[in-house]
Amino acid sequence: MNYLKNAPYEIQLEAIKNDGSNIRFIQNPTEELQLLAINTTIFNLAFIKNPTKKVQLESVKINWTALNYIKNIHPDIIKYINNVSEDEKIIGVRQYILAIKFLRNPSEKIQLVLTEKEPFVRFFMHVKNVPESIQLKVISFHPHHIKSLNNATETVQFKAINQLATSILSIQNPTKKVLKQAIPTLNDELLCKLIRQNYKVIPYITNASEKVQLYIINHRARHIQHIVNPTYKVQKLAISLAPRTIGYIQNPNKELQLLAVTKNAWAIRYIQNPCEEVINITKTY
């Protein structure tokens, strides 16, 4: 079919009438040829590099699945799908579920389309304002689907962790109350994973094992300030990595003080009551 590349227009036209997919052999097909091809099937859009605005619009009018095959969607196409009726939007989203990301503030009825099948709920990541009633439908499939919700309510967060404690790892912005309930139920491995996802949870960990404490310090030494009752080994590691963290340690003993100033003499500024030996060492600085 390479002959179609530079063939006379009449031959190109006849080839597409016979088989719309032949458009893939034509370089820079005219709008007329593009329209003829997509009227055979919108899947022929996949063979058109730069469909015109009219071709894009006609394709979407046929089936919203066309949006999947358009690389550079014209802004007017987005306006069009946002201005059609709610019923048309529902039909369109059912045709192409990812079309939800192009809709501004989709109504509850449109959002409910995403709850018709479990694989669809992940596309709630493209929806900003999801009512709590629909959020509950999302996690009814599985608590971990809460990860697709940008702003899960506290009620929904509690519902998820009560069904499955590890779903705390899937919550984008867990509330303080939710963290306080969920954290004590996690083992060290899961706790480290949660910390890795969000260091802001550290202050809510009240009984961290030494393993977890060391994990925290190895990632960021200054977080020792948030650790409740850090072990001596953890204190030493924090100071070794960042001497100024001695300022977060209550009543550091002589060994810790010496460790800090030998690493960095200026660390004495962070020691409230430096021992005499530490003072003598730093006098020369």
Side-chain angles (χ1 to χ4, degrees):
M1 290 291 185
N2 285 336
Y3 74 91
L4 286 175
K5 188 175 181 180
N6 298 305
Y9 185 74
E10 292 76 14
I11 293 176
Q12 293 179 346
L13 185 63
E14 195 61 33
I16 290 176
K17 282 181 180 179
N18 291 331
D19 183 352
S21 67
N22 282 331
I23 199 163
R24 67 185 184 277
F25 301 114
I26 300 172
Q27 210 169 26
N28 302 317
T30 64
E31 185 173 75
E32 181 185 13
L33 293 177
Q34 292 180 31
L35 287 168
L36 187 60
I38 62 109
N39 280 321
T40 304
T41 170
I42 59 158
F43 298 115
N44 286 331
L45 261 179
F47 304 125
I48 303 172
K49 284 187 178 180
N50 297 299
T52 66
K53 182 176 83 170
K54 184 176 180 180
V55 171
Q56 291 184 29
L57 182 58
E58 291 304 314
S59 300
V60 172
K61 283 181 178 179
I62 295 169
N63 191 305
W64 281 25
T65 305
L67 293 166
N68 187 45
Y69 298 101
I70 304 171
K71 288 183 179 179
N72 299 302
I73 301 173
H74 195 282
D76 286 350
I77 308 305
I78 305 301
K79 287 181 184 177
Y80 166 76
I81 65 172
N82 275 282
N83 290 328
V84 299
S85 69
E86 183 178 59
D87 286 343
E88 288 177 284
K89 288 175 183 174
I90 289 171
I91 292 169
V93 172
R94 282 198 177 114
Q95 290 171 341
Y96 180 53
I97 205 72
L98 253 178
I100 194 77
K101 70 179 180 180
F102 300 114
L103 297 178
R104 294 185 296 271
N105 300 315
S107 68
E108 288 188 34
K109 284 185 178 179
I110 296 168
Q111 291 183 35
L112 282 170
V113 174
L114 301 187
T115 66
E116 291 175 354
K117 294 179 181 179
E118 184 174 0
F120 294 168
V121 298
R122 69 182 187 275
F123 298 114
F124 272 105
M125 68 177 70
H126 302 296
V127 184
K128 288 184 179 179
N129 302 305
V130 182
E132 186 174 82
S133 58
I134 294 180
Q135 292 184 19
L136 289 168
K137 282 181 177 291
V138 170
I139 66 166
S140 69
F141 287 106
H142 194 284
H144 277 303
H145 285 311
I146 199 169
K147 66 185 176 184
S148 300
L149 300 173
N150 295 306
N151 294 294
T153 66
E154 187 171 69
T155 298
V156 173
Q157 292 182 25
F158 271 121
K159 182 86 172 177
I161 65 166
N162 285 334
Q163 289 177 9
L164 186 65
T166 56
S167 61
I168 187 68
L169 297 166
S170 301
I171 300 175
Q172 292 189 33
N173 296 296
T175 66
K176 293 178 181 178
K177 289 181 180 178
V178 169
L179 284 170
K180 285 179 180 178
Q181 178 177 312
I183 284 173
T185 68
L186 302 178
N187 62 29
D188 285 356
E189 184 181 351
L190 292 173
L191 201 49
C192 289
K193 188 174 181 181
L194 180 64
I195 292 164
R196 187 164 62 248
Q197 289 179 188
N198 183 4
Y199 277 97
K200 292 180 181 179
V201 306
I202 295 171
Y204 302 102
I205 304 171
T206 55
N207 293 302
S209 67
E210 186 172 72
K211 177 183 176 181
V212 173
Q213 292 184 20
L214 290 170
Y215 177 84
I216 293 170
I217 300 306
N218 274 312
H219 279 73
R220 201 164 294 175
R222 65 182 175 84
H223 282 311
I224 193 170
Q225 63 186 300
H226 301 303
I227 297 176
V228 179
N229 300 318
T231 67
Y232 193 68
K233 183 177 180 180
V234 169
Q235 292 176 26
K236 285 184 71 175
L237 177 63
I239 294 169
S240 296
L241 295 173
R244 67 175 61 186
T245 58
I246 195 167
Y248 299 124
I249 297 170
Q250 287 187 346
N251 304 314
N253 64 19
K254 179 180 175 182
E255 182 187 14
L256 293 178
Q257 292 183 32
L258 287 170
L259 176 62
V261 297
T262 52
K263 288 280 183 181
N264 185 340
W266 290 106
I268 194 172
R269 291 179 296 174
Y270 302 98
I271 303 173
Q272 276 194 332
N273 298 299
C275 65
E276 189 175 347
E277 191 172 342
V278 166
I279 293 171
N280 292 332
I281 289 174
T282 57
K283 272 183 181 178
T284 56
Y285 291 91

